Amino acid sequence: MRRTPLYIIPLLAVTILILKGCGMNPRSVSEESELDRKVDSVLALMTLEEKAGQLTLLTSDWDVTGPTMRKEYVEDIRSGRCGNIFNAHTVAYNRNLQKITVEETRLGIPLLFGYDVVHGHRTIFPIPLGEACSWNLELMEKSARLAAGEAAASGLTWTFAPVVDISRDPRWGRVSEGNGEDTYLGSLIAAARVRGFQGEDLSDPYTLAACIKHYAAYGAPVAGRDYNTVDMSEIAFRQDYLPPYRAGVAAGAVTVMASFNELFGVPATASPYLMTRILREEWGFKGFVVTDYTGIDELRAHGVAADRRQAGILALTAGVDMDMQSAIYMETMQGALEDGSITLEEIDRAVKRVLRVKFQLGLFDDPYRYFDDRRESSVVHSQEIMEHALQSARESVVLLKNEAFKGSAILPLASPRRIALIGPLADNQVDLLGSWHGAGDIDQVVTLRAGLMNRYPGATISYAPGCGFEGDEVSGFGEALRLARSSDVVVLAIGESQARSGEAASRSELGIPGVQEELALELIKTGTPVVVLIMAERPLVFPLLNEKASAILYAWHPGTRGGDALADILSGNYNPSGKLVISIPRNVGQIPIYYSAKPTGRPMDPGNKFTSKYLDVPNTPLYPFGYGRSYTTFEYGETGLSSESIGRSDTLVVSVTVSNTGATAGEEVVQLYTRDVVGSLTRPLKELKGFQKIYLEPGVSKRLQFRLTAGDLAFVNGKLERMAEPGEFRVMVGPDSAHLEEKTFTLKE
Ligand code: BGC
């Protein structure tokens, strides 16, 4: 690209001042305008080519997270054509790239280093969907904070996380990266993770810039196929899918990633409605928008751009600031400016947003602030992060079933003498890390086998994989069955490999892959009690196994300390407390299935043919949203309301007493839902509006209070305004979305 010295305004004195020591974290209005002033003064020095460089993000060749690679990225950095890099990490490597920029480019504007720190960096926490099952916002915030600390210590400045896409379709592999089906819970988690990654002060070298993705509605592809079209009403979009992105922006996320999908007939990457109207005008977002991998180039395949140049014009004018991996801004910006298809103002607007984040990160103060070798060795796998990975894994596991076997519940396994450990996930490290484990350290993973050996030092633990993940090979069954017959208990770890989950891993069948379920059924037939651990990144479909098995734990892909966490749960050293954040269907035909369904004009009635139901399967899922058992039992007292009606500025206090009626201490997630009985639009049968996770010793009761205001009852009406309508409401409290006690109140005019 030809240089255009026309735009260079020589403010050398200001440059030196800015480039050497003006990094800051804006808080007050005067700090904000000071920041704008500094950004402007850098902008004034830049050529058009340098501007396009700041709007360009290229992958290194360390990791492959998309379909293309640009081998010459180091040369692109050196020539100032690329101002941001992703998929490169470690202090040594990134310091060297930063050095090239600082010492060899004209202005030395520091690089941003982005990476998918989705659920940990070197120490890996459970997949986000699993961790969301903890319903523990503080825990999730801390995971993000510790992950940021590790990643920042490895020379990174920016994570492409959190993923906040609501998804109600487990055929979509990326359901694993988000927080499940519910908008309210998903919004709270989005904000918690942003706070965790970014901390109080972005210039703190233990934090990362967060990126809310994938904006917007990426979690609802038609038929669950990744990258497919999204088609929904604007009311559903604004009511169910949009709020978590907004919550992330409101929590201060400084970047947002445009999603691959189209919405309302326009690919997100070319959508002024999403990128300018909603994000900037409605929400006041001040950070920058980055595309997803080759998102701009893909506008040609979407059929809205005839060529790369037009694709770049569409993206920039829509309000997309940074081009990830298409190299289109780099190649076509000059021509598009010269022929008047884009304006200098549009380019400058985008560049300013990028520079602003670089200032906020403190990179202009010290471009090397993230490169400290000593910090890297002390932070990575620190005791604090390893302990947190254990706690996070414990809290993510959901106990689905724990029936009596010969008189007493199978779990916990008090002191088994002989354990048969079976299954492809029983002695496995990499798959416990899950998809998007980035730079996760495979060697550090505690397998289930190692976890059990630590937990039961006196027991004989015999191991056989039994079968692989895929295929129809049953030759390992014999050995597995032999071990089962000669043991007191079978611990069976089956599910999905991490490669079968995550991006580009949609499936049309959701059974447990290969012959794993067959193996499980054979093991159950031996008469030895079998504990089934399902490790997967999405709800799988397993009705037959569910019927036959006495004990089932859904363990997701639990991360670095997975084996220890599972051994703690199996032994009763930790009492399971996870609750599902996504429904587990009975079969694929029920999908999408979610608890917050609308009523229909013909509600299901088993005695009436002409009602809304299936002939071959109930309407309900196998396990509902919010469900999860404990080794103890909790009893709910009657729900109390502070009043039978409230006005628009009043607060309704909902109270309930929860008691631990079993013999073990445990945690319970107490959930509150509402229903708007008659509205100007149809309203869901249930909507989560509050929850509290409490810990109770045996025999102890606790009185809980929830507060509801008119704001909590608001919804997106026909004019696309969020408003509560007066009338009758139901409030429901209970342990999950299917077991609720109901009361009624009125919202007055
Ligand atoms: C994914 C993004 C990710 C990006 C960079 C894409 O394929 O959709 O989630 O951040 O690659 O690795």
Side-chain angles (χ1 to χ4, degrees), residues 63-250:
D63 255 328
V64 181
T65 59
T68 66
M69 193 62 83
R70 201 180 146 91
K71 290 212 165 54
E72 61 274 34
Y73 70 93
V74 177
E75 266 325 297
D76 290 328
I77 294 173
R78 185 166 280 123
S79 64
R81 283 156 60 89
C82 169
N84 311 282
I85 283 291
F86 71 113
N87 283 341
H89 54 92
T90 72
V91 163
Y93 192 75
N94 288 2
R95 182 198 281 125
N96 192 40
L97 294 181
Q98 193 73 297
K99 200 160 174 267
I100 294 174
T101 311
V102 171
E103 294 180 6
E104 300 183 42
T105 66
R106 195 178 70 93
L107 293 177
I109 299 174
L111 295 166
L112 282 182
F113 291 97
Y115 200 59
D116 292 280
V117 182
V118 175
H119 54 115
H121 183 55
R122 302 291 302 286
T123 310
I124 300 298
F125 304 110
I127 56 158
L129 183 67
E131 199 180 54
C133 292
S134 71
W135 295 58
N136 185 339
L137 298 173
E138 276 168 37
L139 175 118
M140 289 182 256
E141 182 173 335
K142 187 167 176 190
S143 299
R145 179 168 67 71
L146 293 170
E150 256 193 5
S154 299
L156 292 163
T157 40
W158 179 25
T159 173
F160 303 136
V163 179
V164 305
D165 307 318
I166 294 297
S167 188
R168 297 169 174 180
D169 194 334
R171 290 172 299 183
W172 188 55
R174 302 194 83 173
V175 74
S176 58
E177 293 172 55
N179 307 310
E181 71 186 45
D182 185 61
T183 310
Y184 170 81
L185 180 60
S187 301
L188 291 173
I189 297 174
R193 292 210 167 112
V194 169
R195 287 195 304 270
F197 285 129
Q198 294 196 167
E200 296 276 294
D201 181 353
L202 260 192
S203 70
D204 172 344
Y206 287 83
T207 61
L208 295 177
C211 183
I212 294 295
K213 74 185 192 186
H214 306 80
Y215 179 68
Y218 181 46
V222 170
R225 204 177 71 227
D226 209 357
Y227 317 125
N228 202 8
T229 308
V230 171
D231 193 10
M232 63 174 70
S233 74
E234 179 143 21
I235 289 176
F237 172 59
R238 286 189 176 257
Q239 179 69 37
D240 299 333
Y241 289 85
L242 194 56
Y245 305 102
R246 181 178 200 164
V249 167

Side-chain angles (χ1 to χ4, degrees), residues 403-410 527-530 550:
E403 285 184 347
F405 187 90
K406 295 192 180 148
S408 59
I410 293 192
T528 304
V530 177
S550 307

Side-chain angles (χ1 to χ4, degrees), residues 276-547:
T276 301
R277 161 93 187 272
I278 296 180
L279 196 56
R280 305 282 174 188
E281 293 166 18
E282 292 185 24
W283 300 351
F285 176 63
K286 288 198 158 166
F288 70 81
V289 175
V290 62
T291 71
D292 204 342
Y293 211 109
T294 53
I296 301 182
D297 197 31
E298 289 171 24
L299 295 177
R300 294 186 297 141
H302 272 290
V304 295
D307 52 32
R308 281 168 60 79
R309 193 174 145 282
Q310 193 192 356
I313 295 166
L314 284 175
L316 187 78
T317 53
V320 167
D321 306 304
M322 191 183 282
D323 168 1
M324 183 197 285
Q325 198 57 20
S326 290
I328 284 183
Y329 283 176
M330 171 204 273
E331 287 168 15
T332 66
M333 203 163 252
Q334 169 123 11
L337 177 67
E338 278 168 2
D339 74 11
S341 304
I342 55 173
T343 63
L344 187 59
E345 203 187 345
E346 282 162 338
I347 298 171
D348 286 353
R349 187 183 63 188
V351 176
K352 282 201 234 180
R353 291 169 180 159
V354 173
L355 293 177
R356 200 183 147 83
V357 172
K358 293 191 175 185
F359 268 108
Q360 288 175 293
L361 284 163
L363 291 170
F364 282 104
D365 251 352
D366 174 8
Y368 299 104
R369 69 189 300 135
Y370 291 85
F371 309 127
D372 176 337
D373 301 282
R374 270 170 311 162
R375 190 149 56 93
E376 188 171 28
S377 54
S378 68
V379 169
V380 172
H381 303 317
S382 69
Q383 194 185 342
E384 185 185 17
I385 196 163
M386 292 296 269
E387 275 171 15
H388 188 72
L390 172 62
Q391 187 58 18
S392 170
R394 286 166 168 163
E395 292 196 40
S396 69
V397 176
V398 183
L399 176 63
L400 295 180
K401 216 175 160 184
N402 188 18
E403 285 184 347
F405 187 90
K406 295 192 180 148
S408 59
I410 293 192
L411 290 170
L413 305 172
S415 47
R417 283 184 303 111
R418 295 164 307 166
I419 302 174
L421 178 62
I422 317 279
L425 282 146
D427 192 24
N428 177 320
Q429 288 184 301
V430 66
D431 292 298
L432 261 58
L433 288 180
S435 63
W436 284 114
H437 63 255
D441 218 324
I442 297 172
D443 299 341
Q444 292 284 328
V445 177
V446 181
T447 63
L448 177 59
R449 188 180 190 183
L452 287 176
M453 281 163 63
N454 294 339
R455 179 56 53 201
Y456 297 108
T460 307
I461 300 173
S462 47
Y463 161 72
C467 63
F469 285 110
E470 316 278 340
D472 50 12
E473 183 57 61
V474 294
S475 58
F477 278 27
E479 170 70 353
L481 293 170
R482 193 184 62 73
L483 295 185
R485 286 193 195 98
S486 57
S487 298
D488 304 325
V489 65
V490 175
V491 173
L492 175 66
I494 53 177
E496 288 177 308
S497 65
Q498 53 112 18
R500 243 186 127 93
S501 322
E503 186 172 354
S506 293
R507 291 175 59 197
S508 65
E509 299 284 355
L510 294 181
I512 298 170
V515 291
Q516 297 179 84
E517 185 165 2
E518 216 176 305
L519 171 66
L521 297 171
E522 291 299 314
L523 288 166
I524 291 168
K525 279 193 212 149
T526 63
T528 304
V530 177
V531 179
V532 182
L533 297 180
I534 300 178
M535 295 191 212
E537 301 205 10
R538 50 156 72 89
L540 293 172
V541 166
F542 49 94
L544 183 59
L545 179 61
N546 186 62
E547 190 190 313

